[in-house]
Amino acid sequence: MPSHPKAADLPALLAALCDSGVEFIIVGGVAAVLQGAPITTTDLDIVHRRTPENVARLLEVLLNLDATMRYDMARRGLRPTAEMLAGSGQINLSTSLGPLDPLCELDKGQGYDELLPHSVSVRDEGRLLHVLDLPTLIAAKTLAGRPKDRIVLPILIATLQERDKATR
């Protein structure tokens, strides 16, 4: 079983995805960080376009990064498949560059095409990234209602309020 780092090497993961032409929107903690929220995160959550061509590009990146299912308690080294990536669920993966979670949809009916109008473009290390906007991220975390989401909500709301104040 390959050894994988505990925290994601975000620049390297983003480079691998972008350089391979994978179409995706960054969601979750990294989306918040890229928009100025003072939080930390250990994984990269993305919603990818589920066209056959994009799924093939994403799968190739994942296999090159030795991706395996993160919550496989039997440690069988289960690999992601095109069928999984074309579906509607969330896949929690360990890779040689750290945790990467491809979400086919953020929520039912919230795939790449539906979320793209709710994303902002952010330039990071010379790459143009699609990042879920703060209002949509706040709504998603509110809906999810998990303790880890409830904890960051006040920070996300304050970040949005500060940003809105600065643009007035």
Side-chain angles (χ1 to χ4, degrees):
M1 183 86 168
S3 166
H4 296 302
K6 292 205 184 300
D9 180 344
L10 296 173
L13 276 173
L14 291 170
L17 292 165
C18 290
D19 294 351
S20 296
V22 176
E23 295 173 276
F24 64 97
I25 300 169
I26 299 169
V27 300
V30 175
V33 170
L34 287 171
Q35 295 177 81
I39 64 168
T40 58
T41 186
T42 58
D43 64 357
L44 175 62
D45 299 317
I46 64 169
V47 173
H48 57 282
R49 180 170 265 159
R50 290 176 287 163
T51 62
E53 301 79 16
N54 198 57
V55 164
R57 287 189 294 269
L58 177 56
L59 182 60
E60 182 177 357
V61 170
L62 295 174
L63 296 178
N64 287 338
L65 296 177
D66 199 22
T68 57
M69 300 306 210
R70 194 159 63 241
Y71 299 115
D72 174 22
M73 298 308 159
R75 296 181 170 260
R76 294 166 290 179
L78 298 176
R79 305 246 181 243
T81 65
E83 293 75 24
M84 289 175 187
L85 296 170
S88 59
Q90 175 177 337
I91 307 161
N92 301 106
L93 300 172
S94 291
T95 76
S96 58
L97 297 175
L100 172 61
D101 299 339
L103 289 68
C104 297
E105 295 178 311
L106 191 57
D107 199 13
K108 188 154 180 69
Q110 288 188 311
Y112 178 92
D113 292 324
E114 294 83 10
L115 291 175
L116 193 58
H118 302 281
S119 70
V120 295
S121 296
V122 173
R123 193 160 289 281
D124 185 63
E125 300 208 7
R127 292 180 176 82
L128 191 61
L129 305 170
H130 294 294
V131 179
L132 193 65
D133 65 30
L134 279 176
T136 307
L137 183 60
I138 290 166
K141 289 200 171 287
T142 300
L143 185 63
R146 300 172 301 192
K148 70 178 191 173
D149 295 318
R150 288 195 306 266
I151 288 170
V152 300
L153 274 171
I155 298 167
L156 298 181
I157 292 166
T159 301
L160 180 60
Q161 289 170 341
E162 287 299 314
R163 189 188 69 194
D164 287 352
K165 251 194 274 183
T167 60
R168 283 187 207 147

